[in-house]
Amino acid sequence: MATIFTKIAKGEIPSYKVAENDDFYAFLDINPLVQGHTLVIPKNVEDDYIFNLDGSTYEGLWDFARKVATALKAAVPCKRVGVAVLGMEVPHTHIHLVPLNSEADMDFRKEKLALKPEEFAAIAESINKEYVKIC
Ligand code: AMP
């Protein structure tokens, strides 16, 4: 059965899309740690453990994540973009990209932000505009 993230990449479940190419997809985390918290996934590989990915998917995923992180940093003011790979909840490899101004921004135990749909949409659009510039 397809994972929820495969359904998102196929457009069967809505998401706030940030960037996309043939093989990879980036969208806003629905329970963000901070504004701009983004998830990056391979579209066609559902393995739930990043270190099981084949070499080309693994390298392509990180290359795409770097482009998305560059766009994210340009769109959302922050000191740097933090990276995390957890996979404790959704069994489909994904990289968290989190705009950081302090170490505490990356604390996954803290209360998540409750953003309005229009806020999610505006953030996703602003990151996508930066992504388009660098691609
Ligand atoms: P983990 O698998 O531990 O890396 O956590 C999965 C992440 O996916 C969590 O931060 C969730 O908020 C996020 N998430 C789960 N379902 C969705 C969804 N439908 N759209 C966006 N983010 C999601």
Side-chain angles (χ1 to χ4, degrees), residues 4-5 8 13 27-31 37 39 86-90 94 96:
I4 185 170
F5 285 177
I8 282 176
I13 290 178
F27 57 106
L28 294 181
D29 193 303
I30 205 71
N31 301 303
H37 181 172
L39 302 176
L86 286 79
M88 303 306 284
E89 186 186 320
V90 177
H94 52 281
H96 294 257

Side-chain angles (χ1 to χ4, degrees), residues 95-114:
I95 297 171
H96 294 257
L97 299 177
V98 183
L100 298 181
N101 287 299
S102 78
E103 196 179 306
D105 291 334
M106 201 79 177
D107 181 355
F108 280 81
R109 293 165 300 187
K110 75 175 184 171
E111 195 172 337
K112 308 302 186 292
L113 292 184

